[in-house]
Amino acid sequence: MAKKILTVDDSASIRQMVSFTLKGAGYEVIEAPDGNAGLARAQTGPVDLVLTDQNMPGMDGLTLIKSLRRLPAYGATPILMLTTESSDEMKALGRAAGATGWLVKPFDPQKLVDVVKRLVG
C-alpha cells in the first residue's frame, strides 16, 4: 500500500509540483492550502509524512508542527519543512517545534524523493 503524504502549502503551484513529484515516485498525496486545513486533514486519519511550508495565512508551519506534535498519532511522524526560509534561526525554531528536516525552495525533485524515501521508505 502506498505511503500517504500530506503536503501543506498556500501556493497551488508548489502543491502541484510536490504532488506530481511524489505521486510519480509511488506515494499517495493529500493536499491542504494552509495550516488550519492541514491540521484538520491530519486529524481525519494518519499520514506517513507531513511536508509543510512556513509562511502561510491563518496558521504558519511552525504552529502546525507544534499542533501536530501534541496529537498522539503524530508524536513520531516525520515532518519536513519545505520553505524559502533558510536562516539558521528559522531552522533552530523548526527543530524546537519538532520538525524532522528542512528543504529550501525551490526544491530539487530528486532530492525531495530521496529524503522522503529515507524517512518513510
Side-chain angles (χ1 to χ4, degrees), residues 43-92:
Q43 290 172 307
T44 65
V47 297
D48 298 292
L49 183 138
V50 178
L51 196 59
T52 183
D53 185 20
Q54 165 53 21
N55 301 310
M56 299 179 286
M59 181 191 296
D60 68 18
L62 292 175
T63 306
L64 173 61
I65 292 170
K66 289 176 191 165
S67 301
L68 287 170
R69 290 296 185 219
R70 284 195 285 269
L71 301 172
Y74 289 93
T77 302
I79 303 176
L80 293 172
M81 292 291 287
L82 177 63
T83 178
T84 55
E85 299 278 353
S86 60
S87 71
D88 289 341
E89 183 187 356
M90 276 305 292
K91 289 178 182 175

